[in-house]
Amino acid sequence: MKVVIIGAVAAGMSAAAKLKRIKPNFEVVVYEKTDIVSFGACGLPYYVGGFFDNSNMMIAREKSKFIESGIDLKTFKEVIDVDTDNKIITIKDLLTKEVFTDNYDRLMIATGASSIMPSLDKPYENLSTLKDMNDGIKLRELINKEEINNIVIVGSGFIGIETIEAAKKLNKNIHLIGRSNRILSKVFDKEITDLLEEELRKNNVHIHLGETVQEYVGNNKIEKVITNKCEINADLVVIAMGVKPNTSFLKNTNIEMLSNGAIIVDECGRTSVKDVYSAGDCATIKNLVTNENMYAPLATGANKLGRIVGENLGDINSSFPGSLASSCIKVLDMEAAVTGITEEKAKSLNLDYKAKFITNYNQTHYYPGREKLFIKLVYDAKTKVILGGQIAGYKDAVQRANVIATAITAKMTTEQLGMLDLCYAPPFATTWDALNVAGNVSK
Ligand SMILES: Cc1cc2nc3c(=O)[nH]c(=O)nc-3n(C[C@H](O)[C@H](O)[C@H](O)COP(=O)(O)OP(=O)(O)OC[C@H]3O[C@@H](n4cnc5c(N)ncnc54)[C@H](O)[C@@H]3O)c2cc1C
């Protein structure tokens, strides 16, 4: 049995490693267009900001370890075409420019996603995305230059906001431009984004919401960014406008995709074409609450569904129960997390839901370090089953969201959350934890 995997990061290498462990006799070939494998992009904003210095720390497992395990890892090889009728792929060697073909019995597509770029009339030296290792190295070098002070970040999603953390650590002057009228608008409801925006403003980040860039002005370097509302001086521009799945090389196949190009997969990672699997940022993942095929490009889902695909490629029947798109972010001194569905999502699906937003505390008032916690629960109006939760605060917010993720998975009601036996000691919680309180008031 010959299995070919395209893409050697979270989804691809999770599958390859799992498959080789369970089926050492299978031939496992991985094609990767760069020479960087098993790379955790999640560390990039902190590498750029100088929270750590060795970029290799973002490599989860060395190339040599995969090769020693028997995986035939081929780097600088870009797959440019797939013929699923004849089970043949076409590859371009990016070093020699040679084009050749290979065959497979089973195929996994784990090609991830690329940054969405604005249309530019020329390349600019001081413009970068933050998606891969090369971006990280370039951006770190640029942002550390003393003459670079005004940082303009275009896009107010996760990567844009995390870039603020990096720029702030280096005491830069930051402008954030977002097309939507809220930051992180696709992720959190307004109660939470209001708090996060306040935190940014408090720290002198200039937020431009409901604005779109109309022009980048400059020759080799951008000097000014013109939006529909103002002009901003720029020494460095970071593009963080979201990502799109890397699936255009599949144009000659009948693999079903969403309108954004994400490959539709079932809970086993199977695509609509026999013997072709996919996972990670190039594919959908099943939403545990709504059962929809959603696009949630997160490392968590890529690793988990990647491993499930590895098992299925190796004839172990496994399925992924579904994702809550649980995600979290540090916004300067604040932290915030979301799991399950937001109120906006519940509304858009016309669900019979209720939502409750409360303010409480992470711990007792007499022990040093008490901070406010802001919790929002979304739940079924009739059954009170919890559908989603969002938490923000200055301390202990994110880990509490994991309790809500567990509650949603177990289909717990708000009443059960209210009585859940959570632990308590004065430095960590109150006798009725903030989550118990949120559950109890969500009637
Ligand atoms: C700055 C940043 C911060 C992030 N922070 C978080 C976080 O905190 N939490 C979280 O859960 N997620 C985070 N993510 C998302 C996370 O990194 C991704 O979800 C994860 O990397 C997806 O893994 P993947 O294997 O699907 O795809 P990728 O990591 O994109 O890897 C795909 C690989 O396929 C290769 N490839 C593409 N096309 C071809 C081709 N045609 N032929 C051969 N090879 C090809 C690419 O070169 C690449 O190496 C972050 C992402 C970024 C960029």
Side-chain angles (χ1 to χ4, degrees), residues 202-311:
K202 212 169 75 189
N203 285 281
N204 301 319
V205 176
H206 311 284
I207 313 181
H208 306 258
L209 295 173
E211 283 189 41
T212 47
V213 176
Q214 310 222 302
E215 201 182 340
Y216 296 98
V217 181
N219 288 322
N220 298 332
K221 288 184 182 172
I222 297 170
E223 285 158 16
K224 211 176 260 183
V225 176
I226 302 179
T227 76
N228 53 334
K229 292 190 186 159
C230 67
E231 291 188 11
I232 308 163
N233 289 334
D235 300 319
L236 173 65
V237 175
V238 182
I239 301 292
M241 293 165 53
V243 295
K244 57 170 190 306
N246 291 325
T247 53
S248 56
F249 70 103
L250 300 169
K251 57 190 176 304
N252 295 324
T253 72
N254 291 321
I255 296 172
E256 273 178 35
M257 298 180 192
L258 295 183
S259 59
N260 74 340
I263 298 167
I264 298 173
V265 293
D266 67 9
E267 58 275 22
C268 301
R270 285 182 296 232
T271 71
S272 56
V273 171
K274 192 171 178 296
D275 291 330
V276 181
Y277 295 74
S278 184
D281 285 10
C282 61
T284 61
I285 195 160
K286 194 182 94 177
N287 184 306
L288 192 60
V289 177
T290 65
N291 265 324
E292 287 171 306
N293 291 319
M294 69 172 167
Y295 185 59
L298 291 164
T300 42
N303 277 280
K304 291 183 184 111
L305 197 57
R307 181 202 281 210
I308 295 282
V309 168
E311 291 179 351

Side-chain angles (χ1 to χ4, degrees), residues 411-437:
K411 303 203 182 321
M412 285 170 62
T413 62
T414 52
E415 201 173 44
Q416 287 173 313
L417 180 65
M419 284 295 163
L420 189 64
D421 190 19
L422 298 171
C423 53
Y424 159 66
F428 305 109
T430 43
T431 37
W432 290 89
D433 187 82
L435 287 174
N436 293 138
V437 177

Side-chain angles (χ1 to χ4, degrees), residues 6-13 31-34 36-37 39-46 77-80 110-114 130-132 158-159 162-163 243 246 249 279-282 296-303 326-328:
I6 315 172
V9 184
M13 293 325 277
Y31 286 102
E32 165 56 50
K33 72 176 183 184
T34 68
I36 293 168
V37 306
F39 162 66
C42 315
L44 283 172
Y46 310 101
K77 309 277 186 298
E78 180 177 6
V79 176
I80 54 173
T111 46
S114 299
L130 186 56
K131 181 69 183 77
D132 56 27
F158 275 120
I159 297 177
E162 287 181 350
T163 306
V243 295
N246 291 325
F249 70 103
D281 285 10
C282 61
L298 291 164
T300 42
N303 277 280
S326 303
S327 35
C328 52

